[in-house]
């Protein structure tokens, strides 16, 4: 059997990017992501993981992005939102 039987597989990088982008746009999806068992350690890209962790910590008390993320992570957030 699998060593982590109840854990979903790690997300492919394209899926990580899309997940984080969706969460940046709609914080209501955070509950669904948590319910689906998506944990920060499943996100391999360090920058995307930092965004995911920040969103999870903020929960529904979203403020300005600059209040939630350190400068390098904020640059990545702005890049993701501008890539559409």
């Amino acid at each position: 059997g699998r060593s982590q039987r109840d854990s979903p597989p790690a997300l492919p990088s394209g899926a990580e990017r899309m997940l984080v982008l969706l969460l940046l746009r709609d914080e209501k999806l955070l509950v669904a992501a948590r319910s689906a068992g998506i944990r920060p350690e499943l996100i391999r890209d360090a920058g995307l993981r930092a965004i995911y962790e920040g969103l999870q910590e903020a929960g529904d008390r979203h403020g300005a992005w600059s209040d939630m993320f350190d400068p390098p992570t904020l640059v990545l957030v702005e890049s993701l939102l501008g890539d559409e």
Side-chain angles (χ1 to χ4, degrees), residues 36-73:
I38 298 172
R39 299 180 313 278
E41 60 270 17
L42 295 175
I43 299 176
R44 292 176 289 203
D45 181 278
L48 295 174
R49 185 172 49 250
I51 295 171
Y52 184 72
E53 288 172 334
L55 291 171
Q56 292 285 350
E57 288 173 16
D60 60 2
R61 52 180 171 54
H62 277 249
W65 296 126
S66 58
D67 296 335
M68 293 175 57
F69 301 113
D70 61 19
T73 304

Side-chain angles (χ1 to χ4, degrees), residues 16-24 48 51-52 55 80:
E16 292 176 355
R17 186 177 179 84
M18 184 57 65
L19 171 69
V20 170
L21 181 57
L22 289 170
L23 295 175
L24 285 168
L48 295 174
I51 295 171
Y52 184 72
L55 291 171
L80 281 170

Side-chain angles (χ1 to χ4, degrees), residues 7-8 11-14 22 26-27 29 31-32 34 42 44-45 50 56-57 69 71-72 74-75 79-80 84:
S7 295
L11 299 170
S13 61
L22 289 170
D26 185 355
E27 64 270 8
L29 294 174
V31 174
R34 272 194 293 262
L42 295 175
R44 292 176 289 203
D45 181 278
Q56 292 285 350
E57 288 173 16
F69 301 113
L74 186 58
V75 168
S79 171
L80 281 170
E84 310 175 71

